[in-house]
Amino acid sequence: MSTPSALIDVEELAAALGGADAPALLDVRWALGGPPGAEEYAAGHLPGAHYVDLDRELAAPPGAAGRHPLPDPEVFGAALRRAGVRADRPVVVYDAGPATSAARAWWLLRWAGHRDVRVLDGGLAAWTAAGGPLTTEAPAGGGGDFKPEPGALPTVDAGGAAELARTGLLLDARAGERYRGEVEPVDPRAGHIPGAVSAPTTENLAADGRFLPAGELAARFRALGVEEASGVAVYCGSGVTAAHELLALAVAGHHGAALYPGSWSEWSADPANPAATGA
């Protein structure tokens, strides 16, 4: 069985929303430091979209496991069922662009066992640029039956990430200046996991905010060593941006890479973990 595409474009989504088998549509707008996604959703969203909160429903409360630990399956499942997600119904997720929080929702749904999840390429920006309508009307909640069964996609813990940095390939999806330790706006220490390779998610995108074609992404990851590595994992600041990298890897045809959910927010909080700086 072929793996469904991880992306959907504006034209295909518009046609799907008008069809008999319309997907469940999730608005997962979020940005570090705001503005609140719920307020943006209330001001205008795609018709039929339900809002899902990244901080409260796509993550557990921050703590020793990082700023965005994996969510409690019961909390996550309740949010999905409220948004009409069913096991036999396609799901499309979007954010404002560039798909960072949408990728987090995509990865979580796939990790939880849903087989048909796609991200709107270019997000809300692409939809409005194409003349797509917005509404302030929230649809009625309920109607979903999806029950998460975590574990369908691989994860690693801090020890596993360190091991892959030595023996496989550990990609750091943050901006280059954070990887090099030149700045650190939110986490306890600057730098990166020793042995990790810098792979900023901004390089997954074209100038218009959409993902690069699959062939170009494949060439990018080939140059980073993905094809030769015995194992691949990705981390970022708190496990959100890393999902964007995993989405790009999937578009490029690589489906086995793991997420380090705690990412730098967990790693840097433990003084026993070393931190490297520079290129």
Side-chain angles (χ1 to χ4, degrees), residues 3-279:
T3 302
S5 170
L7 299 175
I8 186 170
D9 62 28
V10 168
E11 293 75 16
E12 189 178 359
L13 176 59
L17 292 175
D21 188 26
L25 187 59
L26 310 183
D27 183 315
V28 292
R29 278 179 277 178
W30 172 88
L32 184 65
E39 293 182 9
E40 293 192 325
Y41 171 84
H45 52 268
L46 272 65
H50 293 263
Y51 179 69
V52 179
D53 189 284
L54 187 145
D55 286 319
R56 294 184 300 172
E57 296 166 328
L58 301 183
R67 284 187 283 113
H68 288 111
L70 295 182
D72 180 300
E74 292 301 318
V75 174
F76 180 46
L80 295 178
R81 291 187 292 274
R82 186 197 72 237
V85 174
R86 300 196 307 266
D88 63 350
R89 183 185 186 187
V91 181
V92 173
V93 293
Y94 73 90
D95 57 23
T100 302
S101 51
R104 168 76 173 203
W106 166 84
W107 185 91
L108 284 172
L109 276 153
R110 298 287 291 116
W111 165 78
H114 203 291
R115 296 180 179 274
D116 192 349
V117 190
R118 291 193 279 177
V119 170
L120 176 60
D121 198 11
L124 185 74
W127 178 265
T128 55
L134 299 179
T135 182
T136 58
E137 182 179 349
D145 66 4
F146 182 70
K147 294 182 179 180
E149 296 183 7
L153 294 183
T155 61
V156 295
D157 59 11
E163 178 66 19
L164 276 174
R166 292 190 298 268
T167 64
L169 179 64
L170 180 64
L171 298 177
D172 186 318
R174 299 173 299 161
E177 57 268 27
R178 289 186 70 190
Y179 170 88
R180 295 187 295 271
E182 296 164 5
V183 298
E184 182 44 64
V186 285
D187 290 319
R189 288 183 287 159
H192 59 267
I193 297 174
V197 173
S198 181
T201 56
T202 52
E203 297 178 16
N204 296 327
L205 303 173
D208 63 1
R210 293 174 173 85
F211 280 83
L212 293 171
E216 293 183 32
L217 288 171
R220 182 196 183 208
F221 292 121
R222 188 180 308 117
L224 289 167
V226 168
E227 292 183 359
E228 294 78 21
S230 58
V232 179
V234 186
Y235 78 97
C236 58
S238 67
V240 175
T241 306
H244 190 284
E245 197 92 284
L246 290 165
L247 175 57
L249 281 161
V251 173
H254 299 288
H255 299 280
L259 173 71
Y260 171 26
S263 285
W264 188 247
S265 61
E266 178 188 50
W267 180 278
S268 62
D270 185 345
N273 290 331
T277 56

